[in-house]
Amino acid sequence: MGIKLSNSSLLRAEARGAFPRRLRISAATVCWDRAEVNAWLQARKSERATWQYADPS
């Protein structure tokens, strides 16, 4: 889905409640609920309207 975060970054974000929590499939395999990740992505999109970028000049 184009989310480029390391496992440690994902774990921290999940612990803060800033990213959906993972689902354990087996001892070494995890996944995320697609609907929850899509909702997270939509929330990030709506934040773009309020982002403040540095002045390029």
Side-chain angles (χ1 to χ4, degrees):
M1 296 186 80
I3 299 168
K4 304 288 186 187
L5 294 172
S6 68
N7 187 53
S8 57
S9 293
L10 284 170
L11 286 168
R12 285 192 298 271
E14 289 174 37
R16 290 193 318 269
F19 192 78
R21 294 199 49 171
R22 61 189 66 205
L23 304 167
R24 185 154 307 277
I25 302 299
S26 69
T29 305
V30 298
C31 68
W32 288 265
D33 182 277
R34 182 181 300 267
E36 291 176 359
V37 173
N38 282 335
W40 177 82
L41 286 169
Q42 288 302 317
R44 302 295 76 72
K45 285 181 182 180
S46 63
E47 287 176 358
R48 284 192 292 193
T50 61
W51 286 352
Q52 299 295 319
Y53 294 100
D55 185 17
S57 54

Coordinates of all heavy atoms in Angstrom, one line a residue:
M1 N 0.8 -1.2 0.0 CA 0.0 0.0 0.0 C 0.9 1.3 0.0 O 0.3 2.3 0.1 CB -0.9 0.0 1.2 CG -2.0 -1.1 1.1 SD -3.2 -1.1 2.4 CE -4.3 0.2 1.7
G2 N 2.2 1.1 -0.1 CA 3.0 2.2 -0.2 C 3.4 2.9 1.1 O 3.9 4.0 1.1
I3 N 3.2 2.2 2.2 CA 3.6 2.7 3.5 C 5.0 2.2 3.8 O 5.2 1.0 4.0 CB 2.6 2.2 4.6 CG1 1.2 2.8 4.3 CG2 3.1 2.7 6.0 CD1 0.1 2.2 5.1
K4 N 6.0 3.1 3.8 CA 7.4 2.8 3.9 C 7.9 3.1 5.3 O 8.5 4.2 5.5 CB 8.2 3.5 2.8 CG 7.8 3.2 1.4 CD 8.1 1.8 1.0 CE 7.8 1.7 -0.5 NZ 8.0 0.4 -0.9
L5 N 7.6 2.3 6.3 CA 8.0 2.5 7.6 C 8.7 1.2 8.1 O 8.3 0.1 7.7 CB 6.9 2.8 8.6 CG 6.1 4.1 8.3 CD1 4.9 4.2 9.2 CD2 7.0 5.3 8.6
S6 N 9.8 1.4 8.9 CA 10.4 0.2 9.4 C 9.6 -0.4 10.5 O 8.6 0.2 11.0 CB 11.8 0.6 10.1 OG 11.5 1.4 11.2
N7 N 9.9 -1.7 10.8 CA 9.1 -2.4 11.8 C 9.1 -1.7 13.1 O 8.1 -1.5 13.8 CB 9.6 -3.8 11.9 CG 8.7 -4.6 12.9 OD1 7.5 -4.7 12.6 ND2 9.3 -5.2 13.9
S8 N 10.3 -1.1 13.5 CA 10.4 -0.4 14.8 C 9.5 0.8 14.8 O 8.9 1.2 15.8 CB 11.8 -0.1 15.2 OG 12.4 0.6 14.2
S9 N 9.5 1.5 13.7 CA 8.7 2.7 13.5 C 7.2 2.4 13.6 O 6.4 3.1 14.3 CB 8.9 3.5 12.2 OG 10.2 4.0 12.3
L10 N 6.8 1.3 13.0 CA 5.4 0.8 13.0 C 5.0 0.4 14.4 O 4.0 0.8 14.9 CB 5.2 -0.3 12.1 CG 5.1 0.0 10.6 CD1 5.1 -1.3 9.8 CD2 3.8 0.8 10.3
L11 N 5.9 -0.2 15.1 CA 5.6 -0.6 16.5 C 5.4 0.6 17.4 O 4.5 0.6 18.2 CB 6.8 -1.5 17.1 CG 6.8 -2.9 16.5 CD1 8.1 -3.6 16.9 CD2 5.6 -3.8 17.1
R12 N 6.3 1.6 17.3 CA 6.1 2.8 18.1 C 4.8 3.5 17.7 O 4.1 4.0 18.6 CB 7.3 3.8 17.8 CG 8.6 3.3 18.5 CD 9.6 4.4 18.5 NE 10.0 4.8 17.2 CZ 11.0 4.2 16.5 NH1 11.7 3.3 17.1 NH2 11.3 4.6 15.3
A13 N 4.5 3.6 16.4 CA 3.2 4.3 16.0 C 2.0 3.5 16.5 O 1.0 4.1 17.0 CB 3.2 4.4 14.5
E14 N 2.1 2.2 16.5 CA 1.0 1.4 17.0 C 0.8 1.6 18.5 O -0.3 1.8 19.0 CB 1.2 -0.1 16.7 CG 1.0 -0.5 15.3 CD 1.4 -1.9 15.0 OE1 1.1 -2.8 15.9 OE2 2.0 -2.2 14.0
A15 N 1.9 1.7 19.2 CA 1.9 1.9 20.7 C 1.3 3.3 21.1 O 0.6 3.4 22.1 CB 3.3 1.7 21.3
R16 N 1.6 4.3 20.2 CA 1.0 5.6 20.4 C -0.4 5.7 20.0 O -1.1 6.8 20.2 CB 1.8 6.6 19.6 CG 3.2 6.9 20.1 CD 3.8 8.2 19.4 NE 3.5 8.3 18.0 CZ 4.3 7.9 17.0 NH1 5.4 7.3 17.3 NH2 4.0 8.1 15.8
G17 N -0.9 4.8 19.2 CA -2.3 4.8 18.7 C -2.3 5.6 17.4 O -3.3 6.1 16.9
A18 N -1.1 5.8 16.8 CA -1.0 6.6 15.6 C -1.1 5.8 14.3 O -1.0 6.4 13.2 CB 0.3 7.4 15.6
F19 N -1.2 4.5 14.4 CA -1.3 3.6 13.3 C -2.1 2.4 13.8 O -2.0 2.0 15.0 CB 0.1 3.1 12.8 CG 0.1 2.4 11.5 CD1 0.0 3.1 10.3 CD2 0.2 1.0 11.4 CE1 -0.1 2.5 9.1 CE2 0.2 0.4 10.2 CZ 0.0 1.1 9.1
P20 N -2.9 1.8 12.9 CA -3.7 0.6 13.3 C -2.8 -0.5 13.9 O -1.7 -0.7 13.4 CB -4.4 0.2 12.0 CG -4.4 1.4 11.2 CD -3.1 2.1 11.5
R21 N -3.4 -1.2 14.9 CA -2.6 -2.3 15.5 C -2.6 -3.5 14.5 O -3.6 -3.8 13.8 CB -3.2 -2.7 16.8 CG -3.1 -1.5 17.8 CD -3.2 -1.9 19.2 NE -2.4 -3.1 19.5 CZ -2.2 -3.5 20.7 NH1 -2.8 -2.9 21.7 NH2 -1.5 -4.6 20.9
R22 N -1.5 -4.2 14.6 CA -1.3 -5.4 13.7 C -2.1 -6.6 14.2 O -2.5 -6.7 15.4 CB 0.1 -5.8 13.6 CG 0.8 -6.1 14.9 CD 2.3 -6.2 14.9 NE 2.9 -5.0 14.5 CZ 4.1 -4.8 14.0 NH1 4.8 -5.8 13.7 NH2 4.5 -3.6 13.7
L23 N -2.4 -7.5 13.3 CA -3.1 -8.8 13.7 C -2.0 -9.9 13.5 O -1.3 -9.9 12.5 CB -4.2 -9.0 12.7 CG -5.3 -7.9 12.6 CD1 -6.2 -8.2 11.4 CD2 -6.1 -7.9 13.9
R24 N -1.9 -10.7 14.5 CA -0.9 -11.8 14.4 C -1.6 -13.0 13.7 O -2.6 -13.5 14.1 CB -0.4 -12.2 15.8 CG 0.7 -13.2 15.7 CD 1.6 -13.2 16.9 NE 2.2 -12.0 17.3 CZ 3.3 -11.5 16.7 NH1 3.8 -12.1 15.7 NH2 3.8 -10.3 17.1
I25 N -1.0 -13.4 12.6 CA -1.4 -14.6 11.8 C -0.8 -15.9 12.3 O -1.4 -16.9 12.4 CB -1.1 -14.4 10.3 CG1 -1.8 -13.1 9.8 CG2 -1.6 -15.6 9.5 CD1 -3.3 -13.0 9.9
S26 N 0.5 -15.8 12.6 CA 1.2 -16.9 13.2 C 2.4 -16.3 14.0 O 2.4 -15.1 14.2 CB 1.8 -17.8 12.1 OG 2.8 -17.1 11.3
A27 N 3.3 -17.2 14.5 CA 4.3 -16.7 15.4 C 5.2 -15.7 14.7 O 5.7 -14.7 15.3 CB 5.2 -17.9 15.8
A28 N 5.4 -15.8 13.4 CA 6.3 -14.9 12.6 C 5.6 -14.0 11.6 O 6.3 -13.3 10.8 CB 7.4 -15.7 12.0
T29 N 4.3 -14.1 11.5 CA 3.6 -13.3 10.4 C 2.5 -12.4 11.0 O 1.7 -12.9 11.9 CB 2.9 -14.3 9.5 OG1 3.9 -15.2 9.0 CG2 2.3 -13.6 8.3
V30 N 2.5 -11.2 10.6 CA 1.5 -10.2 11.0 C 0.9 -9.6 9.8 O 1.4 -9.7 8.7 CB 2.1 -9.1 11.9 CG1 2.6 -9.8 13.2 CG2 3.1 -8.3 11.2
C31 N -0.3 -9.0 10.0 CA -0.9 -8.2 8.9 C -1.7 -7.1 9.6 O -1.8 -7.0 10.8 CB -1.8 -9.1 8.0 SG -3.3 -9.7 8.9
W32 N -2.3 -6.3 8.7 CA -3.2 -5.2 9.2 C -4.5 -5.2 8.5 O -4.6 -5.7 7.4 CB -2.5 -3.8 9.0 CG -1.3 -3.6 9.8 CD1 -1.3 -2.9 11.0 CD2 0.0 -4.0 9.6 NE1 0.0 -2.9 11.5 CE2 0.8 -3.6 10.7 CE3 0.7 -4.8 8.6 CZ2 2.2 -3.8 10.8 CZ3 2.0 -5.0 8.7 CH2 2.7 -4.6 9.8
D33 N -5.5 -4.8 9.2 CA -6.9 -4.8 8.6 C -6.9 -3.7 7.6 O -6.6 -2.5 7.8 CB -7.9 -4.5 9.7 CG -9.3 -4.5 9.2 OD1 -9.7 -3.4 8.7 OD2 -10.0 -5.5 9.3
R34 N -7.2 -4.1 6.3 CA -7.2 -3.1 5.2 C -8.1 -1.9 5.4 O -7.7 -0.8 5.1 CB -7.6 -3.8 3.9 CG -7.6 -2.9 2.7 CD -8.0 -3.7 1.4 NE -7.2 -4.8 1.1 CZ -6.1 -4.8 0.3 NH1 -5.8 -3.7 -0.3 NH2 -5.4 -5.9 0.1
A35 N -9.3 -2.1 6.0 CA -10.2 -1.0 6.2 C -9.6 0.0 7.2 O -9.7 1.2 7.1 CB -11.5 -1.5 6.7
E36 N -8.9 -0.5 8.3 CA -8.3 0.4 9.3 C -7.1 1.1 8.6 O -7.0 2.3 8.9 CB -7.8 -0.4 10.5 CG -8.9 -1.0 11.3 CD -8.4 -1.9 12.4 OE1 -7.2 -2.1 12.6 OE2 -9.3 -2.4 13.2
V37 N -6.3 0.5 7.8 CA -5.2 1.2 7.2 C -5.8 2.2 6.2 O -5.3 3.3 6.1 CB -4.3 0.2 6.5 CG1 -3.2 0.9 5.7 CG2 -3.6 -0.7 7.5
N38 N -6.8 1.9 5.4 CA -7.4 2.8 4.5 C -8.0 4.0 5.3 O -7.8 5.2 4.8 CB -8.5 2.2 3.7 CG -8.0 1.4 2.5 OD1 -6.9 1.6 2.1 ND2 -8.7 0.4 2.1
A39 N -8.6 3.8 6.4 CA -9.1 4.9 7.2 C -7.9 5.8 7.7 O -8.0 7.0 7.7 CB -9.9 4.4 8.4
W40 N -6.8 5.2 8.1 CA -5.6 5.9 8.5 C -5.1 6.7 7.4 O -4.7 7.9 7.6 CB -4.6 4.9 9.0 CG -3.3 5.5 9.4 CD1 -3.0 6.1 10.6 CD2 -2.1 5.6 8.6 NE1 -1.7 6.6 10.6 CE2 -1.1 6.3 9.4 CE3 -1.8 5.2 7.3 CZ2 0.2 6.5 8.9 CZ3 -0.5 5.5 6.9 CH2 0.5 6.1 7.6
L41 N -5.0 6.2 6.2 CA -4.6 6.9 5.0 C -5.5 8.1 4.7 O -5.0 9.2 4.4 CB -4.5 6.0 3.8 CG -3.3 5.0 3.8 CD1 -3.5 4.0 2.6 CD2 -2.0 5.7 3.6
Q42 N -6.8 7.9 4.8 CA -7.7 9.0 4.5 C -7.5 10.1 5.5 O -7.6 11.3 5.2 CB -9.2 8.5 4.6 CG -9.5 7.6 3.4 CD -9.4 8.4 2.1 OE1 -9.7 9.5 1.9 NE2 -8.8 7.7 1.1
A43 N -7.3 9.8 6.8 CA -7.0 10.8 7.8 C -5.7 11.6 7.5 O -5.7 12.8 7.7 CB -6.9 10.1 9.2
R44 N -4.7 10.9 7.0 CA -3.5 11.6 6.6 C -3.8 12.5 5.4 O -3.2 13.6 5.4 CB -2.4 10.6 6.2 CG -1.9 9.6 7.2 CD -1.3 10.1 8.4 NE -2.1 10.7 9.4 CZ -3.0 10.0 10.2 NH1 -3.1 8.7 10.2 NH2 -3.7 10.7 11.1
K45 N -4.6 12.1 4.5 CA -4.9 13.0 3.4 C -5.6 14.2 3.8 O -5.4 15.3 3.3 CB -5.8 12.2 2.4 CG -5.1 11.2 1.5 CD -6.1 10.6 0.5 CE -5.4 9.5 -0.3 NZ -6.3 8.9 -1.2
S46 N -6.5 14.1 4.8 CA -7.3 15.3 5.2 C -6.4 16.2 6.0 O -6.7 17.4 6.1 CB -8.5 14.9 6.1 OG -8.1 14.2 7.2
E47 N -5.3 15.7 6.6 CA -4.3 16.6 7.3 C -3.5 17.5 6.4 O -3.0 18.5 6.8 CB -3.3 15.7 8.1 CG -3.9 15.1 9.3 CD -2.9 14.2 10.0 OE1 -1.8 14.1 9.6 OE2 -3.3 13.6 11.1
R48 N -3.4 17.1 5.1 CA -2.6 17.8 4.1 C -3.1 19.3 4.0 O -2.2 20.2 3.8 CB -2.7 17.2 2.8 CG -1.8 16.0 2.7 CD -1.7 15.6 1.2 NE -2.9 15.1 0.7 CZ -3.1 14.4 -0.5 NH1 -2.0 14.2 -1.2 NH2 -4.2 14.0 -0.9
A49 N -4.3 19.5 4.2 CA -4.9 20.9 4.1 C -4.3 21.8 5.1 O -4.3 23.0 5.0 CB -6.4 20.9 4.1
T50 N -3.9 21.3 6.3 CA -3.4 22.1 7.4 C -1.9 22.1 7.5 O -1.3 22.7 8.4 CB -4.0 21.7 8.7 OG1 -3.7 20.3 9.0 CG2 -5.6 21.8 8.6
W51 N -1.2 21.3 6.7 CA 0.3 21.2 6.8 C 0.9 22.5 6.6 O 0.6 23.3 5.6 CB 0.9 20.2 5.9 CG 0.6 18.8 6.3 CD1 0.1 18.3 7.5 CD2 0.9 17.6 5.5 NE1 0.0 16.9 7.5 CE2 0.5 16.5 6.3 CE3 1.4 17.4 4.2 CZ2 0.6 15.2 5.8 CZ3 1.5 16.1 3.8 CH2 1.2 15.0 4.6
Q52 N 2.0 22.9 7.3 CA 2.7 24.1 7.1 C 4.1 23.7 6.6 O 4.9 23.0 7.3 CB 2.9 24.9 8.4 CG 1.6 25.3 9.0 CD 0.9 26.3 8.2 OE1 1.5 27.2 7.6 NE2 -0.5 26.2 8.1
Y53 N 4.4 24.1 5.4 CA 5.7 23.8 4.8 C 6.6 25.0 5.0 O 6.2 26.1 5.1 CB 5.5 23.5 3.3 CG 4.8 22.3 3.0 CD1 3.4 22.3 2.7 CD2 5.4 21.0 3.1 CE1 2.7 21.2 2.4 CE2 4.7 19.9 2.8 CZ 3.4 20.0 2.5 OH 2.7 18.8 2.2
A54 N 7.9 24.7 5.0 CA 8.9 25.8 5.1 C 8.9 26.6 3.9 O 8.6 26.2 2.8 CB 10.3 25.2 5.3
D55 N 9.1 27.9 4.1 CA 9.2 28.8 2.9 C 10.4 28.5 2.1 O 11.5 28.6 2.6 CB 9.2 30.3 3.5 CG 9.2 31.3 2.4 OD1 8.7 30.9 1.3 OD2 9.5 32.4 2.7
P56 N 10.2 28.2 0.8 CA 11.3 27.8 0.0 C 12.3 28.9 -0.4 O 13.4 28.7 -0.9 CB 10.6 27.2 -1.3 CG 9.3 27.9 -1.3 CD 8.9 28.1 0.1
S57 N 11.9 30.2 -0.1 CA 12.8 31.3 -0.5 C 13.8 31.7 0.6 O 13.8 31.2 1.6 CB 11.9 32.5 -0.9 OG 11.0 32.9 0.2

